[in-house]
Amino acid sequence: MGIRTNILARVYLAFGLVLLLAIAVTVQLCRLQFVQGDKWKAMAADLSAQYQTVEAARGNIFSVDGSLLATSIPEYELHMDMLAGGIASDTAFNNNIDLLAAKLSGMFGDRSARDYSRVLREARKDSSRYVLIRRKVSYQDLKKIRQFPVFNMGKYKGGLIVIQKNRRILPFQSLAARTIGYKNENVKNPVGLEGAYSSYINGESGRRLMQRIPGGIWMPVDDDDEIAPKDGADIISTINVNFQDVAQDALKKQLVKSAADHGCVVLMEVATGEIRAIANYTRTKDGDYKEQMNYAISNAIDPGSTFKLASYMTMLDQHKIDTSTIVNAEGGRYKFPKGPTITDTEHDNYEMSVKRAFEESSNVAAARLVDQFYHNNPWQYINKLYSYHLNEKLGLQIQGEGRPVIKNPSNRSWNKNYSLPEMAYGYEMNITPLQMLAFYNSVANNGKMIAPLLVREIRRLGNPIEQFQARVITEQVCSEATLGKVRGMLEGVVMNGTGKNVIKNKLYSVAGKTGTAQVANGTKGYKDKKYQASFCGYFPADHPKYSMIVVVNNPTQGDYLAAKVAGPVFREVADRVYANDLDINQSSQAHYVGNTVMPQVKQGNMKALKKVYSKLGVKALYASANSTVDTSNGVPFEEVKYKNGTVPAVTGMGLSDALYVMGNAGYKVTVRGSGIVTNQSVTGGSAIPKGSRILIELQ
């Protein structure tokens, strides 16, 4: 009895469990059918048919002169429905398929007509509704293909399925390629104008209903259910195609000649801040040069002697020195007590004026002056540099700008004996070439510092939707008096200093500064003797239209000095720009055959001049606004009146005349050398108080 009861209990338990499971399955089936039915039906439909994004044609990028820098062209992917209405019957298919195969073979040339015929017949056996015919077909070829046998039956009967894709091209190929940039889904950070303005250029994507067919392939269902994409807006850049071509050609030529690692050139319009050319080249493994990195924008390193402009501007503006102040360069080599040993390229620099020290790019002079005036109060120097915004990014219209670093006493790396002397001539700091150019441009732009522009305007369907103007960083970097002095110093570099043998020319004046900096080589530091040559300046110096910087990193062949490496690039680009820009005031010069001019006359002592003319038998005429002058028997001249409170220009005069003019203007003169005046410590036209001492150098 106990055994029978035990068996029955187990049977009833098993039956009960089975019954409960059956009830649970039934409940779940009802739930799936009636409660969640819509959800699963939608999911099933989603797996077999869904809307997919149709990419819009990206907007164009134009140069400032209207040339097309980047554009999208349509490319087509061709598929075929092997069961289309026009070839549904085997007879219609067999009568036409060989003709189609022959046409496709003749068009593309990648397969024989027999191979095309075999592929199409095998696809027919498999009942393929979406067999791939060809990728990357141009619009011109597509028009011809639509006339081929079978395909000429129409969109539905012929079975031709066309999927449009857009391919980005650069009509000028490598011209400003890095600045134009690119769009790449695999790259997170945007590159160039393509990345920075992608929200405008991309346009609005459309959508197309696609159906999944065997093999995991998606094919369009119906063109009538398609939402067309909206094309992107156009970008009007500030690049000038001709100037860009000149800059790239000149830079690459110098990089090849010097076997340098990389280099960059930036040409900017002074008043607007618009960048007319920006070239960057990097040496590849095979020895060629290509645009791989935008050094002008991203490469923040020690600027070297081009930074001396900021140091001298600071000392002049704080009245620590004047251009006539005498500094001892110690023969081009000086060891600071407990500090660094600083050397000049030239080893015959001794006592000289501040202006001359700047022209000759004396590291010793700059370092001694900065250390002398700021050793006990470095913040006075640092804060003035910060007022130039050299420690801040420019806020460019594209990403990737390097972060500038101007260290101060609160930094861990600050050394009270080393940092100031090194900073004086451009070390222990990081500044990009474009940031340095913006500072020099402020001198050319009457003291106003502006952020460079790469994009002038955004247009949609030819209509402007957004326009850009340069952002003013600071209205006045220094006083007008200081501005006049540093302008004279920058002009002196080209007229009498390190730039005179390469950059100086007769057609137009140039102002600027050379910079030869030793750069660190990773963990090796400065042991490898790697140099960076640069020149930053503007032209024409008397009415600046363009500013430019040239940087060449690690020249390994020939010279490494800035004037001989960066100078030729600056000169070539400036020459071409000057020759092609008709807006620059180019004064024509008269050229005569033979010696048909009178002896050169300077505005010195007129009484002495008349006496000389009298002895030579030259008659002096005195011009009047109300009388006619007989110029056949005399030489008309009049004494030049100088504006009260301004320094006369005495360059080219003899000592007697120079002393006479300076004395009459109310200035004290210190004389060095003999011959004619080749340099004066204060540029002619500068406004300084009477009684100031001015150094003139004669040779």
Side-chain angles (χ1 to χ4, degrees):
M1 185 65 179
I3 296 174
R4 182 172 179 275
T5 302
N6 189 31
I7 293 173
L8 287 174
R10 292 183 179 182
V11 170
Y12 291 149
L13 178 62
F15 178 76
L17 291 174
V18 171
L19 182 62
L20 288 174
L21 180 63
I23 294 172
V25 170
T26 302
V27 171
Q28 184 66 15
L29 288 174
C30 293
R31 181 170 174 269
L32 291 175
Q33 179 69 28
F34 300 108
V35 179
Q36 296 182 336
D38 294 340
K39 172 187 174 182
W40 295 110
K41 288 177 183 178
M43 184 177 293
D46 203 36
L47 292 173
S48 59
Q50 67 180 21
Y51 284 100
Q52 293 187 0
T53 300
V54 179
E55 185 180 7
R58 307 192 79 217
N60 300 320
I61 298 179
F62 293 93
S63 68
V64 72
D65 53 351
S67 301
L68 194 59
L69 297 178
T71 188
S72 295
I73 61 171
E75 284 186 339
Y76 301 92
E77 192 175 278
L78 306 184
H79 296 259
M80 184 176 179
D81 180 2
M82 304 308 298
L83 301 179
I87 52 174
S89 67
D90 290 340
T91 301
F93 177 82
N94 291 324
N95 288 342
N96 292 283
I97 204 65
D98 288 335
L99 294 174
L100 175 60
K103 285 288 189 178
L104 292 173
S105 176
M107 167 68 74
F108 302 123
D110 57 339
R111 296 175 180 173
S112 65
R114 180 176 295 181
D115 286 340
Y116 264 110
S117 178
R118 175 179 55 79
V119 170
L120 295 175
R121 290 179 186 278
E122 289 177 356
R124 171 81 170 191
K125 290 179 182 179
D126 295 336
S127 300
S128 176
R129 305 296 301 268
Y130 198 61
V131 62
L132 176 65
I133 301 297
R134 183 78 176 183
R135 290 189 174 94
K136 296 182 179 181
V137 177
S138 69
Y139 178 71
Q140 297 299 324
D141 287 343
L142 177 61
K143 290 197 299 184
K144 297 177 182 178
I145 290 169
R146 291 188 189 277
Q147 305 303 317
F148 286 0
V150 180
F151 294 156
N152 59 7
M153 297 180 184
K155 179 165 56 175
Y156 299 107
K157 290 185 177 181
L160 179 63
I161 301 171
V162 180
I163 304 298
Q164 179 177 330
K165 298 180 179 294
N166 296 310
R167 180 166 66 92
R168 200 67 167 167
I169 65 167
L170 305 180
F172 290 96
Q173 299 180 346
S174 64
L175 201 72
R178 190 69 187 182
T179 302
I180 294 169
Y182 54 85
K183 177 190 177 185
N184 191 331
E185 295 178 355
N186 298 322
V187 178
K188 293 182 179 180
N189 297 324
V191 178
L193 298 177
E194 293 272 19
Y197 289 87
S198 59
S199 59
Y200 291 98
I201 299 175
N202 288 345
E204 297 180 15
S205 299
R207 69 173 189 172
R208 178 188 293 129
L209 183 62
M210 303 287 284
Q211 180 180 4
R212 190 173 185 177
I213 61 177
I217 299 173
W218 292 90
M219 64 174 287
V221 175
D222 188 358
D223 288 346
D224 295 334
D225 198 21
E226 179 177 323
I227 298 177
K230 295 181 180 179
D231 293 346
D234 296 331
I235 303 297
I236 312 301
S237 75
T238 62
I239 299 295
N240 181 295
V241 171
N242 294 326
F243 295 169
Q244 179 71 32
D245 185 45
V246 169
Q248 291 191 186
D249 181 65
L251 176 63
K252 188 173 184 179
K253 184 165 55 179
Q254 184 62 47
L255 291 175
V256 171
K257 180 180 178 180
S258 300
D261 287 349
H262 58 78
C264 65
V265 175
V266 184
L267 176 72
M268 184 164 70
E269 196 169 84
V270 169
T272 64
E274 295 187 352
I275 293 177
R276 294 289 177 247
I278 178 168
N280 298 271
Y281 277 120
T282 305
R283 183 166 57 183
T284 60
K285 293 181 179 179
D286 58 3
D288 194 12
Y289 287 91
K290 295 183 179 179
E291 280 211 322
Q292 295 182 340
M293 181 176 178
N294 201 328
Y295 294 101
I297 289 174
S298 64
N299 198 31
I301 60 174
D302 295 329
S305 291
T306 53
F307 189 79
K308 289 175 184 173
L309 173 64
S311 293
Y312 280 103
M313 181 185 288
T314 297
M315 291 185 287
L316 286 167
D317 214 40
Q318 293 180 342
H319 307 291
K320 305 290 186 182
I321 60 172
D322 203 346
T323 53
S324 59
T325 301
I326 303 300
V327 57
N328 191 346
E330 302 289 348
R333 183 179 180 86
Y334 181 74
K335 172 68 171 70
F336 280 83
K338 299 181 181 180
T341 298
I342 295 177
T343 59
D344 291 344
T345 302
E346 301 292 336
H347 298 295
D348 58 351
N349 292 331
Y350 290 92
E351 285 193 350
M352 60 178 70
S353 68
V354 161
K355 184 175 185 293
R356 190 63 181 166
F358 185 82
E359 293 171 353
E360 293 297 330
S361 196
S362 171
N363 299 332
V364 173
R368 291 197 67 186
L369 288 169
V370 169
D371 188 70
Q372 174 187 345
F373 295 115
Y374 302 104
H375 182 83
N376 295 323
N377 186 11
W379 276 109
Q380 187 180 14
Y381 174 71
I382 301 298
N383 285 331
K384 188 64 173 176
L385 297 181
Y386 288 173
S387 74
Y388 306 145
H389 300 271
L390 293 173
N391 61 320
E392 302 171 9
K393 288 186 177 182
L394 294 170
L396 302 176
Q397 294 170 305
I398 62 177
Q399 294 191 15
E401 182 181 2
R403 184 174 69 91
V405 175
I406 304 290
K407 67 166 56 177
N408 61 63
S410 65
N411 298 128
R412 288 185 177 182
S413 59
W414 180 268
N415 185 298
K416 65 179 182 179
N417 296 314
Y418 276 78
S419 294
L420 269 180
E422 295 287 353
M423 290 176 66
Y425 63 110
Y427 285 91
E428 296 204 29
M429 63 181 66
N430 294 325
I431 297 178
T432 69
L434 190 55
Q435 289 159 0
M436 183 56 67
L437 177 61
F439 179 60
Y440 272 71
N441 191 79
S442 69
V443 176
N445 197 27
N446 296 318
K448 180 187 289 187
M449 189 174 183
I450 55 179
L453 281 180
L454 283 160
V455 175
R456 172 185 282 188
E457 190 174 87
I458 299 175
R459 294 178 185 171
R460 189 180 296 278
L461 300 177
N463 299 314
I465 60 174
E466 192 166 356
Q467 295 177 324
F468 303 95
Q469 291 184 344
R471 176 177 57 86
V472 177
I473 298 174
T474 182
E475 287 287 350
Q476 197 73 27
V477 292
C478 63
S479 68
E480 291 187 9
T482 299
L483 191 64
K485 292 174 183 178
V486 295
R487 277 180 167 177
M489 293 165 68
L490 290 170
E491 292 177 32
V493 170
V494 178
M495 293 298 295
N496 309 305
T498 54
K500 65 181 179 181
N501 294 327
V502 178
I503 302 170
K504 180 181 178 181
N505 66 85
K506 297 180 180 179
L507 295 177
Y508 58 94
S509 56
V510 176
K513 182 72 184 72
T514 55
T516 305
Q518 190 174 352
V519 294
N521 184 15
T523 57
K524 296 181 180 179
Y526 295 94
K527 295 180 180 179
D528 287 352
K529 298 290 184 181
K530 294 181 65 174
Y531 293 93
Q532 174 180 277
S534 59
F535 186 89
C536 191
Y538 53 87
F539 64 96
D542 51 349
H543 52 286
K545 176 71 181 292
Y546 296 101
S547 58
M548 178 167 43
I549 188 169
V550 178
V551 179
V552 176
N553 185 274
N554 192 29
T556 58
Q557 292 182 5
D559 214 315
Y560 67 89
L561 297 178
K564 297 181 180 179
V565 177
V569 181
F570 189 100
R571 173 69 185 271
E572 182 174 347
V573 175
D575 282 352
R576 295 283 293 276
V577 171
Y578 183 80
N580 285 278
D581 189 342
L582 300 180
D583 292 333
I584 297 180
N585 182 20
Q586 303 180 34
S587 58
S588 58
Q589 294 182 341
H591 298 278
Y592 299 97
V593 178
N595 184 17
T596 60
V597 297
M598 293 298 293
Q600 188 177 14
V601 176
K602 295 295 181 182
Q603 291 81 16
N605 189 333
M606 285 300 176
K607 292 182 179 179
L609 177 62
K610 294 172 185 176
K611 185 174 182 180
V612 171
Y613 273 0
S614 176
K615 294 294 183 181
L616 292 175
V618 178
K619 179 182 177 182
L621 298 178
Y622 304 95
S624 170
N626 299 319
S627 63
T628 303
V629 178
D630 176 14
T631 59
S632 62
N633 296 318
V635 177
F637 63 88
E638 59 180 341
E639 190 167 357
V640 176
K641 302 295 184 183
Y642 292 102
K643 185 179 178 181
N644 189 29
T646 62
V647 178
V650 298
T651 303
M653 293 185 183
L655 178 59
S656 177
D657 284 340
L659 292 175
Y660 178 85
V661 172
M662 284 290 189
N664 284 346
Y667 297 104
K668 298 178 182 179
V669 180
T670 300
V671 179
R672 181 164 297 154
S674 60
I676 63 172
V677 179
T678 59
N679 189 44
Q680 60 186 88
S681 61
V682 180
T683 307
S686 300
I688 64 174
K690 288 186 177 182
S692 300
R693 184 165 294 279
I694 299 174
L695 172 68
I696 61 174
E697 298 178 3
L698 294 81
Q699 289 184 0

Short mmCIF file of all heavy atoms in Angstrom, two decimals, residues 445-474:
data_model
loop_
_atom_site.label_atom_id
_atom_site.label_comp_id
_atom_site.label_asym_id
_atom_site.label_seq_id
_atom_site.Cartn_x
_atom_site.Cartn_y
_atom_site.Cartn_z
N ASN A 445 50.17 96.98 -38.83
CA ASN A 445 48.78 97.44 -38.82
C ASN A 445 48.56 98.58 -37.81
O ASN A 445 47.53 98.67 -37.17
CB ASN A 445 47.85 96.26 -38.50
CG ASN A 445 46.40 96.54 -38.86
OD1 ASN A 445 46.11 97.35 -39.75
ND2 ASN A 445 45.49 95.89 -38.17
N ASN A 446 49.58 99.44 -37.68
CA ASN A 446 49.50 100.61 -36.80
C ASN A 446 49.19 100.25 -35.35
O ASN A 446 48.50 100.99 -34.64
CB ASN A 446 48.44 101.60 -37.31
CG ASN A 446 48.80 102.17 -38.67
OD1 ASN A 446 49.95 102.51 -38.92
ND2 ASN A 446 47.82 102.24 -39.56
N GLY A 447 49.66 99.10 -34.90
CA GLY A 447 49.51 98.71 -33.51
C GLY A 447 48.31 97.84 -33.22
O GLY A 447 48.19 97.29 -32.12
N LYS A 448 47.38 97.70 -34.16
CA LYS A 448 46.17 96.90 -33.93
C LYS A 448 46.47 95.43 -34.21
O LYS A 448 46.88 95.06 -35.30
CB LYS A 448 45.03 97.37 -34.81
CG LYS A 448 43.73 96.57 -34.60
CD LYS A 448 42.66 96.94 -35.61
CE LYS A 448 42.12 98.33 -35.35
NZ LYS A 448 40.96 98.62 -36.23
N MET A 449 46.23 94.58 -33.22
CA MET A 449 46.45 93.15 -33.36
C MET A 449 45.13 92.45 -33.63
O MET A 449 44.16 92.62 -32.90
CB MET A 449 47.09 92.58 -32.09
CG MET A 449 47.56 91.15 -32.22
SD MET A 449 48.45 90.61 -30.72
CE MET A 449 48.95 88.96 -31.21
N ILE A 450 45.08 91.67 -34.72
CA ILE A 450 43.85 91.00 -35.12
C ILE A 450 44.12 89.51 -35.32
O ILE A 450 45.24 89.09 -35.58
CB ILE A 450 43.27 91.61 -36.42
CG1 ILE A 450 44.32 91.61 -37.54
CG2 ILE A 450 42.75 93.01 -36.17
CD1 ILE A 450 43.82 92.18 -38.85
N ALA A 451 43.06 88.72 -35.16
CA ALA A 451 43.16 87.28 -35.35
C ALA A 451 43.08 86.95 -36.84
O ALA A 451 42.22 87.48 -37.55
CB ALA A 451 42.05 86.57 -34.59
N PRO A 452 43.95 86.08 -37.33
CA PRO A 452 43.94 85.73 -38.76
C PRO A 452 42.62 85.07 -39.17
O PRO A 452 41.96 84.39 -38.37
CB PRO A 452 45.10 84.74 -38.88
CG PRO A 452 45.99 85.04 -37.72
CD PRO A 452 45.07 85.45 -36.62
N LEU A 453 42.26 85.28 -40.43
CA LEU A 453 41.04 84.69 -41.01
C LEU A 453 41.40 83.71 -42.11
O LEU A 453 42.30 83.95 -42.91
CB LEU A 453 40.15 85.79 -41.60
CG LEU A 453 39.29 86.64 -40.66
CD1 LEU A 453 38.49 87.64 -41.49
CD2 LEU A 453 38.34 85.76 -39.86
N LEU A 454 40.67 82.60 -42.16
CA LEU A 454 40.80 81.63 -43.24
C LEU A 454 39.53 81.51 -44.06
O LEU A 454 39.55 81.00 -45.17
CB LEU A 454 41.17 80.25 -42.67
CG LEU A 454 42.63 80.09 -42.25
CD1 LEU A 454 42.77 78.93 -41.29
CD2 LEU A 454 43.52 79.89 -43.47
N VAL A 455 38.41 81.97 -43.49
CA VAL A 455 37.11 81.91 -44.18
C VAL A 455 36.51 83.31 -44.20
O VAL A 455 36.40 83.95 -43.15
CB VAL A 455 36.14 80.93 -43.50
CG1 VAL A 455 34.77 80.98 -44.16
CG2 VAL A 455 36.70 79.51 -43.56
N ARG A 456 36.15 83.76 -45.37
CA ARG A 456 35.55 85.09 -45.51
C ARG A 456 34.03 85.04 -45.45
O ARG A 456 33.39 85.92 -44.89
CB ARG A 456 35.99 85.71 -46.84
CG ARG A 456 35.27 87.01 -47.17
CD ARG A 456 35.65 87.53 -48.54
NE ARG A 456 36.96 88.18 -48.52
CZ ARG A 456 37.47 88.85 -49.55
NH1 ARG A 456 36.77 88.95 -50.68
NH2 ARG A 456 38.65 89.42 -49.46
N GLU A 457 33.43 83.97 -46.03
CA GLU A 457 31.98 83.98 -46.20
C GLU A 457 31.46 82.56 -46.38
O GLU A 457 32.17 81.67 -46.85
CB GLU A 457 31.64 84.83 -47.44
CG GLU A 457 30.19 85.14 -47.65
CD GLU A 457 30.02 86.10 -48.82
OE1 GLU A 457 29.94 85.63 -49.97
OE2 GLU A 457 30.00 87.32 -48.57
N ILE A 458 30.18 82.36 -46.00
CA ILE A 458 29.47 81.10 -46.26
C ILE A 458 28.26 81.43 -47.12
O ILE A 458 27.50 82.35 -46.80
CB ILE A 458 29.03 80.42 -44.95
CG1 ILE A 458 30.26 80.09 -44.10
CG2 ILE A 458 28.24 79.15 -45.24
CD1 ILE A 458 29.92 79.53 -42.74
N ARG A 459 28.10 80.69 -48.20
CA ARG A 459 27.00 80.95 -49.13
C ARG A 459 26.17 79.70 -49.35
O ARG A 459 26.69 78.58 -49.39
CB ARG A 459 27.54 81.42 -50.49
CG ARG A 459 28.24 82.77 -50.46
CD ARG A 459 28.78 83.11 -51.83
NE ARG A 459 29.57 84.34 -51.82
CZ ARG A 459 30.30 84.77 -52.85
NH1 ARG A 459 30.33 84.05 -53.97
NH2 ARG A 459 30.99 85.89 -52.76
N ARG A 460 24.88 79.91 -49.52
CA ARG A 460 23.98 78.82 -49.91
C ARG A 460 23.19 79.27 -51.14
O ARG A 460 22.55 80.32 -51.12
CB ARG A 460 23.02 78.47 -48.76
CG ARG A 460 22.20 77.21 -49.03
CD ARG A 460 21.28 76.90 -47.86
NE ARG A 460 22.00 76.59 -46.66
CZ ARG A 460 22.53 75.39 -46.37
NH1 ARG A 460 22.42 74.41 -47.23
NH2 ARG A 460 23.17 75.21 -45.24
N LEU A 461 23.32 78.50 -52.19
CA LEU A 461 22.68 78.82 -53.47
C LEU A 461 23.10 80.21 -53.96
O LEU A 461 22.32 80.96 -54.53
CB LEU A 461 21.16 78.74 -53.35
CG LEU A 461 20.59 77.37 -52.94
CD1 LEU A 461 19.08 77.45 -52.80
CD2 LEU A 461 20.97 76.30 -53.96
N GLY A 462 24.36 80.54 -53.69
CA GLY A 462 24.91 81.81 -54.16
C GLY A 462 24.62 83.00 -53.28
O GLY A 462 25.11 84.10 -53.55
N ASN A 463 23.84 82.82 -52.21
CA ASN A 463 23.49 83.93 -51.34
C ASN A 463 24.27 83.83 -50.03
O ASN A 463 24.31 82.77 -49.40
CB ASN A 463 21.98 83.91 -51.03
CG ASN A 463 21.15 84.06 -52.29
OD1 ASN A 463 21.43 84.92 -53.12
ND2 ASN A 463 20.13 83.22 -52.43
N PRO A 464 24.88 84.93 -49.58
CA PRO A 464 25.62 84.90 -48.32
C PRO A 464 24.69 84.63 -47.14
O PRO A 464 23.65 85.26 -47.00
CB PRO A 464 26.23 86.30 -48.23
CG PRO A 464 26.17 86.85 -49.62
CD PRO A 464 24.96 86.23 -50.26
N ILE A 465 25.09 83.69 -46.28
CA ILE A 465 24.31 83.42 -45.07
C ILE A 465 25.12 83.76 -43.81
O ILE A 465 24.56 83.88 -42.73
CB ILE A 465 23.84 81.96 -45.01
CG1 ILE A 465 25.04 81.00 -45.01
CG2 ILE A 465 22.90 81.65 -46.14
CD1 ILE A 465 24.64 79.54 -44.82
N GLU A 466 26.43 83.91 -43.97
CA GLU A 466 27.26 84.34 -42.85
C GLU A 466 28.56 84.90 -43.39
O GLU A 466 29.17 84.32 -44.30
CB GLU A 466 27.54 83.17 -41.90
CG GLU A 466 28.15 83.61 -40.58
CD GLU A 466 28.12 82.52 -39.52
OE1 GLU A 466 27.55 81.44 -39.78
OE2 GLU A 466 28.69 82.76 -38.43
N GLN A 467 28.98 86.03 -42.83
CA GLN A 467 30.22 86.68 -43.24
C GLN A 467 31.11 86.89 -42.01
O GLN A 467 30.61 87.06 -40.90
CB GLN A 467 29.93 88.01 -43.93
CG GLN A 467 29.18 87.86 -45.26
CD GLN A 467 28.84 89.18 -45.90
OE1 GLN A 467 28.54 90.15 -45.21
NE2 GLN A 467 28.89 89.23 -47.22
N PHE A 468 32.43 86.90 -42.25
CA PHE A 468 33.37 86.98 -41.15
C PHE A 468 34.34 88.14 -41.35
O PHE A 468 34.76 88.42 -42.47
CB PHE A 468 34.17 85.68 -41.03
CG PHE A 468 33.32 84.46 -40.85
CD1 PHE A 468 32.96 83.68 -41.94
CD2 PHE A 468 32.87 84.09 -39.60
CE1 PHE A 468 32.18 82.55 -41.79
CE2 PHE A 468 32.08 82.97 -39.43
CZ PHE A 468 31.73 82.19 -40.53
N GLN A 469 34.66 88.79 -40.26
CA GLN A 469 35.68 89.83 -40.24
C GLN A 469 36.65 89.54 -39.10
O GLN A 469 36.31 88.85 -38.14
CB GLN A 469 35.06 91.21 -40.07
CG GLN A 469 34.25 91.67 -41.27
CD GLN A 469 33.71 93.08 -41.11
OE1 GLN A 469 33.68 93.61 -40.02
NE2 GLN A 469 33.29 93.68 -42.21
N ALA A 470 37.85 90.06 -39.24
CA ALA A 470 38.89 89.78 -38.26
C ALA A 470 38.48 90.27 -36.88
O ALA A 470 37.99 91.38 -36.72
CB ALA A 470 40.21 90.42 -38.68
N ARG A 471 38.71 89.43 -35.89
CA ARG A 471 38.45 89.80 -34.51
C ARG A 471 39.64 90.59 -33.97
O ARG A 471 40.78 90.17 -34.10
CB ARG A 471 38.23 88.53 -33.67
CG ARG A 471 38.04 88.78 -32.18
CD ARG A 471 37.77 87.46 -31.46
NE ARG A 471 38.83 86.50 -31.68
CZ ARG A 471 39.94 86.43 -30.95
NH1 ARG A 471 40.14 87.28 -29.95
NH2 ARG A 471 40.86 85.51 -31.22
N VAL A 472 39.35 91.73 -33.38
CA VAL A 472 40.41 92.57 -32.82
C VAL A 472 40.84 92.00 -31.47
O VAL A 472 40.03 91.90 -30.54
CB VAL A 472 39.96 94.03 -32.67
CG1 VAL A 472 41.06 94.86 -32.03
CG2 VAL A 472 39.57 94.61 -34.03
N ILE A 473 42.11 91.64 -31.36
CA ILE A 473 42.64 91.11 -30.10
C ILE A 473 42.99 92.25 -29.16
O ILE A 473 42.68 92.21 -27.98
CB ILE A 473 43.87 90.22 -30.38
CG1 ILE A 473 43.45 89.02 -31.26
CG2 ILE A 473 44.50 89.74 -29.08
CD1 ILE A 473 44.61 88.17 -31.70
N THR A 474 43.65 93.26 -29.68
CA THR A 474 43.94 94.47 -28.90
C THR A 474 44.08 95.63 -29.86
O THR A 474 44.61 95.48 -30.97
CB THR A 474 45.22 94.31 -28.05
OG1 THR A 474 45.43 95.49 -27.28
CG2 THR A 474 46.44 94.06 -28.91
#
